[in-house]
Amino acid sequence: MVVEIQSLRRWARHVPIYGIGAVALVVLTAGAAFRGYATNHAALRGAAVTRGHPADSVADGQRIFRFDTFGDEQFWTDTLHMNQVVEQSVDPTTALAVGLKVDADVLPPGILQKVDLKSPATTVALLKMNAVVGIQATVDSNNHITHLGITCAFCHSSVDNSVMAGIGHRRDGWPNHDLNVGGIVALSPVLSAVQKAVYESWGPGKYDPRYNLDGKNGALVIPPAYGLAHVKNETYTAEGPISYWNAYVAVTQMHGHGNFSDPRLGIAVTQSPDLVSPKLAALRAYQHSLAAPPPPAGSFDAVASGRGRALFGRRCISCHVSVTGTDNNSGKLHAPAETGVDGAYAARTATKAYRTTPLRALWQHAPYFHDGSAATLADVVTHYNAVRKLGLTAAQQHDLVEYLKSF
């Protein structure tokens, strides 16, 4: 059955469709489906990759990633009334507690020492100066929020906490695992108790990008959006390239004003004007320019990592192949039973299977696997040692973990 735009609008009135966590570049790729990787993983980190993309294209993509709502204010304001919720109930302390981030580079010097962090009026002021990462708001002369929308950066940017927890310099592409997407959405006054319970069940750092389409609940870990330049398909289930997923999220999740179609999922949305499609190329160029952050100095045992690298080359590299780190670049997918991960989410997708996830900046984005079921890299190794019958001793597992920390 084709889901036409009229149907989406009906659902927006009766069963609100929430899609922030997988935000425009959601690129459902994170987690660490530890099945191998390239031995030369330093090449994948490297410097920002901009070859093939003019500098102005990358700059435009950055602007889109950080500040473009694709016209989704009509949903977050007119349908969910989140402008009223924020203006009346969300003070900066509460905002930081649910994982929202503040761009310190926008703040006037010393402003935090002069304002009331327990007052929603301060949040409005921060929005007015465009300091809240991933949220765009229009504030009138009476300091009322008239329009409010979200951008890709809402879920896929963080800050370095250089001022205080939640306030610092932007880190685009870093998954915001502090962000309680469901908890924020559950503040909307138009939700039923049943709907609120679903959103509140997700917890920080997770989001379900299918719930609005199939009514099932199974939140995924918000993935990183860096280190994608060498990867063909950027989702857990490899349904399409980066611009496919950007369009999917922008239209069906963020509720931007644009076009998206996938007959495999029974979705066909056409809106005029299309505020999404013309921006996808520049957005992709910027995302491809985001290099994975290297591990902090001293964060892993270099000697043990060397031993782990040898183990990795013998046990894991058949799936995490070459510099791309994934056999999905050659079109391969894996049934859930192959890797012992839960198959519920895959069953809700077009491919019904999972791709091998490239291993990049693993030190930075725990928990692992699509559903966050592995809290640590040690848990990942333990899981695959059992499921794949690797026969690793405790010492070897330790060495392999140290090597994974080096990505």
mmCIF file of all heavy atoms in Angstrom, residues 287-303:
data_model
loop_
_atom_site.group_PDB
_atom_site.id
_atom_site.type_symbol
_atom_site.label_atom_id
_atom_site.label_comp_id
_atom_site.label_asym_id
_atom_site.label_seq_id
_atom_site.Cartn_x
_atom_site.Cartn_y
_atom_site.Cartn_z
ATOM 1 N N GLN A 287 28.889 15.769 4.908
ATOM 2 C CA GLN A 287 28.982 14.556 5.720
ATOM 3 C C GLN A 287 30.220 13.747 5.345
ATOM 4 O O GLN A 287 30.902 13.204 6.224
ATOM 5 C CB GLN A 287 27.706 13.738 5.553
ATOM 6 C CG GLN A 287 26.495 14.423 6.166
ATOM 7 C CD GLN A 287 25.196 13.850 5.658
ATOM 8 O OE1 GLN A 287 25.179 12.995 4.786
ATOM 9 N NE2 GLN A 287 24.087 14.326 6.188
ATOM 10 N N HIS A 288 30.524 13.677 4.069
ATOM 11 C CA HIS A 288 31.706 12.953 3.635
ATOM 12 C C HIS A 288 32.990 13.650 4.082
ATOM 13 O O HIS A 288 34.051 13.034 4.134
ATOM 14 C CB HIS A 288 31.696 12.800 2.113
ATOM 15 C CG HIS A 288 30.844 11.677 1.641
ATOM 16 N ND1 HIS A 288 30.717 11.338 0.314
ATOM 17 C CD2 HIS A 288 30.055 10.799 2.316
ATOM 18 C CE1 HIS A 288 29.895 10.309 0.188
ATOM 19 N NE2 HIS A 288 29.476 9.975 1.385
ATOM 20 N N SER A 289 32.922 14.922 4.399
ATOM 21 C CA SER A 289 34.108 15.651 4.848
ATOM 22 C C SER A 289 34.413 15.442 6.319
ATOM 23 O O SER A 289 35.475 15.843 6.802
ATOM 24 C CB SER A 289 33.925 17.153 4.582
ATOM 25 O OG SER A 289 33.111 17.765 5.576
ATOM 26 N N LEU A 290 33.503 14.812 7.045
ATOM 27 C CA LEU A 290 33.670 14.647 8.484
ATOM 28 C C LEU A 290 34.487 13.389 8.774
ATOM 29 O O LEU A 290 34.003 12.259 8.611
ATOM 30 C CB LEU A 290 32.306 14.561 9.180
ATOM 31 C CG LEU A 290 31.414 15.793 9.048
ATOM 32 C CD1 LEU A 290 30.037 15.519 9.658
ATOM 33 C CD2 LEU A 290 32.057 17.003 9.709
ATOM 34 N N ALA A 291 35.718 13.563 9.201
ATOM 35 C CA ALA A 291 36.582 12.433 9.524
ATOM 36 C C ALA A 291 36.258 11.897 10.912
ATOM 37 O O ALA A 291 35.850 12.637 11.811
ATOM 38 C CB ALA A 291 38.043 12.860 9.460
ATOM 39 N N ALA A 292 36.443 10.601 11.085
ATOM 40 C CA ALA A 292 36.249 10.004 12.399
ATOM 41 C C ALA A 292 37.322 10.511 13.353
ATOM 42 O O ALA A 292 38.497 10.604 12.979
ATOM 43 C CB ALA A 292 36.316 8.487 12.301
ATOM 44 N N PRO A 293 36.966 10.860 14.578
ATOM 45 C CA PRO A 293 37.960 11.376 15.527
ATOM 46 C C PRO A 293 38.911 10.280 15.998
ATOM 47 O O PRO A 293 38.479 9.168 16.299
ATOM 48 C CB PRO A 293 37.102 11.902 16.682
ATOM 49 C CG PRO A 293 35.845 11.084 16.612
ATOM 50 C CD PRO A 293 35.611 10.825 15.152
ATOM 51 N N PRO A 294 40.201 10.560 16.068
ATOM 52 C CA PRO A 294 41.166 9.559 16.528
ATOM 53 C C PRO A 294 41.034 9.323 18.020
ATOM 54 O O PRO A 294 40.521 10.177 18.756
ATOM 55 C CB PRO A 294 42.514 10.203 16.185
ATOM 56 C CG PRO A 294 42.240 11.670 16.245
ATOM 57 C CD PRO A 294 40.838 11.833 15.723
ATOM 58 N N PRO A 295 41.482 8.173 18.498
ATOM 59 C CA PRO A 295 41.391 7.906 19.942
ATOM 60 C C PRO A 295 42.294 8.837 20.732
ATOM 61 O O PRO A 295 43.364 9.221 20.254
ATOM 62 C CB PRO A 295 41.855 6.451 20.048
ATOM 63 C CG PRO A 295 42.715 6.236 18.844
ATOM 64 C CD PRO A 295 42.102 7.075 17.760
ATOM 65 N N PRO A 296 41.890 9.227 21.913
ATOM 66 C CA PRO A 296 42.736 10.093 22.736
ATOM 67 C C PRO A 296 44.062 9.412 23.067
ATOM 68 O O PRO A 296 44.136 8.179 23.193
ATOM 69 C CB PRO A 296 41.887 10.308 24.004
ATOM 70 C CG PRO A 296 40.487 9.982 23.595
ATOM 71 C CD PRO A 296 40.592 8.926 22.562
ATOM 72 N N ALA A 297 45.084 10.208 23.206
ATOM 73 C CA ALA A 297 46.400 9.680 23.564
ATOM 74 C C ALA A 297 46.324 8.916 24.882
ATOM 75 O O ALA A 297 45.719 9.375 25.853
ATOM 76 C CB ALA A 297 47.409 10.820 23.668
ATOM 77 N N GLY A 298 46.918 7.728 24.895
ATOM 78 C CA GLY A 298 46.955 6.933 26.112
ATOM 79 C C GLY A 298 45.678 6.194 26.443
ATOM 80 O O GLY A 298 45.557 5.641 27.540
ATOM 81 N N SER A 299 44.717 6.168 25.517
ATOM 82 C CA SER A 299 43.427 5.546 25.818
ATOM 83 C C SER A 299 43.409 4.040 25.570
ATOM 84 O O SER A 299 42.414 3.376 25.851
ATOM 85 C CB SER A 299 42.324 6.215 24.998
ATOM 86 O OG SER A 299 42.558 6.047 23.603
ATOM 87 N N PHE A 300 44.502 3.492 25.014
ATOM 88 C CA PHE A 300 44.570 2.046 24.828
ATOM 89 C C PHE A 300 46.021 1.584 24.986
ATOM 90 O O PHE A 300 46.964 2.380 24.875
ATOM 91 C CB PHE A 300 44.028 1.637 23.462
ATOM 92 C CG PHE A 300 44.788 2.185 22.288
ATOM 93 C CD1 PHE A 300 45.814 1.457 21.703
ATOM 94 C CD2 PHE A 300 44.490 3.444 21.770
ATOM 95 C CE1 PHE A 300 46.528 1.964 20.625
ATOM 96 C CE2 PHE A 300 45.191 3.956 20.690
ATOM 97 C CZ PHE A 300 46.221 3.220 20.114
ATOM 98 N N ASP A 301 46.177 0.308 25.241
ATOM 99 C CA ASP A 301 47.482 -0.301 25.424
ATOM 100 C C ASP A 301 48.053 -0.640 24.053
ATOM 101 O O ASP A 301 47.571 -1.552 23.374
ATOM 102 C CB ASP A 301 47.321 -1.563 26.276
ATOM 103 C CG ASP A 301 48.650 -2.255 26.588
ATOM 104 O OD1 ASP A 301 49.589 -2.162 25.773
ATOM 105 O OD2 ASP A 301 48.718 -2.912 27.645
ATOM 106 N N ALA A 302 49.077 0.092 23.621
ATOM 107 C CA ALA A 302 49.608 -0.061 22.273
ATOM 108 C C ALA A 302 50.198 -1.452 22.039
ATOM 109 O O ALA A 302 50.069 -2.015 20.949
ATOM 110 C CB ALA A 302 50.657 1.009 22.006
ATOM 111 N N VAL A 303 50.842 -2.015 23.041
ATOM 112 C CA VAL A 303 51.442 -3.342 22.879
ATOM 113 C C VAL A 303 50.360 -4.400 22.727
ATOM 114 O O VAL A 303 50.406 -5.252 21.820
ATOM 115 C CB VAL A 303 52.355 -3.670 24.078
ATOM 116 C CG1 VAL A 303 52.883 -5.104 23.968
ATOM 117 C CG2 VAL A 303 53.518 -2.682 24.147
#
